[in-house]
Every structure is written in structure tokens, then in C-alpha cells.
Amino acid sequence: MAAAGAMVDVQIGDGNQGWAPAAPYDRVLATYAVERIPRAWVEQTKPGGRIVTPWGRLGHIALTVADDVRSATGWVQGLAQFMPDRRTVGAEPGFTQVRARSESHGEGFFLRDLAPLQDDVHLRFALRVALPYLRMTLARDADGLNAWIHDTERSWAVLSAIGNGRTVATQGGPRSLADELEAAWDTWLALGKPALYDFGMTVTDSGTTQYMWVNDADRGPRWPII
């Protein structure tokens, strides 16, 4: 950085802890994705200061810190995919591993067209907010679009295209993931198909409580960040 003429102070450490000796900051900018906003970022930002970070491996958000420096709120700014916080990186099981943990407990037709799961980024973001534990892989074959879904624990679902626009849902484990997917999809439709830019985040109690909301920070529907 010195060779490039950038006069900056470089510290090596855990980014989630911030850098207290030089706080408070006007801006905290992260270049890795977090699931929850670290408490230190809120506490080390000035009242009215901004925290900008990728969130959830899908979007990025800009929060404004309140005067009490214990809370922050702001809107989703767009899409972003960055490397995740190292705390979220690990040997997360894949679909095949989760599928092996539970037998199927039901099969039936899934009556909704799956194409928006691949084509509509606003739907995908809404599902990410409502179902943070859900992992989904999509692939198309001669019969149509297929989906493999799991929760990283014991629940799974397969949405299999069988041609002529028909899809069969098979699921197993404690949760009925195909049903949960459809319910969250219904909620998004009932809300008027909000765009990802209609979502926001609020962090309170110095980061202890965090949730996403849509349309209105105080009165809109909200979902806890786990």
C-alpha cells in the first residue's frame, strides 16, 4: 500500500472485533459477508455514521448508527457476493449427507412453476430472509427445472420435474421444507412481490437483537436474523 502511495494504517486481526484504539469511525466498510452485524462495528461507529457490509452471501446493506450508539438501521442496497466471515465457513453438510439422515415422509405434486427460483432475484432474496437455514441447488434437464433443498441438519426436499410442466415434491426429516418454501413464497406474493431494495435491517441492544424487515422499519413484517 505504501508503494502505491496509499497513506493508511494497516492492522492485522479479527475484523469482527473492529479496531477499538482508533474508534470511533465515520464509516465502517467490510469486504467480507457476515450473517450478523458484529457488536464491535456498532459500538465503534460514531452517531450518524455508516456501516456498509455484504450480508448473507446475497446482498449488501448500509446501516446508520443511532445517537445512542446501541442500534443501527438501514436499507438493502443491492446484490453482492463476497467471501463469508470465517465463522460461517466449515464442513457444512451437502444435500447427499442430509438426505441420508432421514427417510422420505411424503410425496405429492408441487403446483407452482419453479422458474422464478432461478430467474427472480427478488424472490430469492425474500426466501433467503424468511428461510435463512435453507440451502437450495437448481438444475434443468429435459423435463424442466429441478431443486434439491436441505436445512444442513436432517430435513430435505426434492422438487423433480416430470415433464408437461409438472413437478413432484418428495421430502423427509423433521421439517417439511417444500411446504415451508411454498409458505414463504406465498407471503412474498401477498406482500406485493417486494424487491430486494424494499428490505432493510435493524440492529438493537448493541447487536444482541437483529432482524430484517420489509417496507417499513417500525411497522413492516420482520424476520429475526439467526
Side-chain angles (χ1 to χ4, degrees), residues 64-167:
T64 300
V65 175
D67 291 343
D68 63 5
V69 198
R70 289 180 54 82
S71 61
T73 190
W75 296 89
V76 172
Q77 302 295 308
L79 295 176
Q81 288 185 306
F82 282 70
M83 59 184 177
D85 170 6
R86 67 180 61 188
R87 289 172 177 78
T88 66
V89 177
E92 183 176 283
F95 176 85
T96 301
Q97 293 170 283
V98 175
R99 171 66 179 86
R101 296 171 182 172
S102 302
E103 295 298 321
S104 168
H105 61 60
E107 181 178 290
F109 284 107
F110 192 86
L111 302 179
R112 181 165 282 153
D113 178 16
L114 297 187
L117 292 178
Q118 188 173 59
D119 302 333
D120 194 326
V121 67
H122 304 293
L123 169 61
R124 294 208 312 271
F125 189 86
L127 294 176
R128 169 65 182 80
V129 168
L131 306 173
Y133 50 82
L134 189 141
R135 305 291 185 269
M136 179 165 52
T137 301
L138 301 170
R140 189 176 294 277
D141 61 20
D143 292 321
L145 188 63
N146 306 276
W148 294 264
I149 304 167
H150 69 92
D151 67 352
T152 75
E153 295 181 2
R154 296 183 58 240
S155 298
W156 57 271
V158 179
L159 305 180
S160 303
I162 58 174
N164 298 320
R166 296 177 300 167
T167 302

